[in-house]
Amino acid sequence: VDSGDTMRAAGLQEIAEILPSQAVLISNPRSKWQKEIDKIQRRVQGIIDAGKYVMVEYNMKRSNLSKAVEITQGKSSPTLAPLENEEWLVVKALVARSETNAVLDKLQALGGEAILIHD
């Protein structure tokens, strides 16, 4: 049981672990279905990655942007969008879930506003 949400929704609770298990994708490297296998592998990797990251979205003054981007680099780079007030930008970036609280503290100290975390 990973999070237990499904069991709790059904009014159940875990009482003991019988056997640890894991899912494994095994394929023949010479399979005629390689495109489909690759697609499944990408989808599974996307689910794994999604569990490791959260999306942080915040407003930041342009004058502090370079420091903010150092804090929230994203996987490749953050997304930037202008606000009506030209002194400000919206910044969106993936952040490691384990670093979320530290990142929030740093952004607030830098003057970040309207900081949202999307799970």
Side-chain angles (χ1 to χ4, degrees), residues 71 99-112 115 117:
I71 297 167
E99 299 173 12
T100 303
N101 290 334
V103 166
L104 289 176
D105 294 341
K106 290 176 185 177
L107 291 174
Q108 288 175 337
L110 194 56
I115 301 171
I117 305 296

Side-chain angles (χ1 to χ4, degrees), residues 82-88:
L83 291 173
E84 186 151 333
N85 180 337
E86 294 180 4
E87 293 180 35
W88 290 81

Side-chain angles (χ1 to χ4, degrees), residues 13-60:
Q13 67 181 32
E14 180 179 351
I15 56 172
E17 182 177 309
I18 298 171
L19 177 71
S21 64
Q22 66 181 14
V24 179
L25 176 62
I26 299 172
S27 70
N28 181 338
R30 294 182 295 268
S31 172
K32 67 178 183 176
W33 305 103
Q34 196 59 49
K35 286 183 182 180
E36 289 78 7
I37 293 167
D38 291 344
K39 184 188 297 186
I40 292 169
Q41 184 177 5
R42 282 191 309 273
R43 289 177 179 178
V44 169
Q45 188 60 53
I47 292 167
I48 292 168
D49 287 347
K52 294 178 183 176
Y53 294 93
V54 295
M55 179 66 73
V56 177
E57 181 176 354
Y58 59 94
N59 296 345
M60 183 62 66

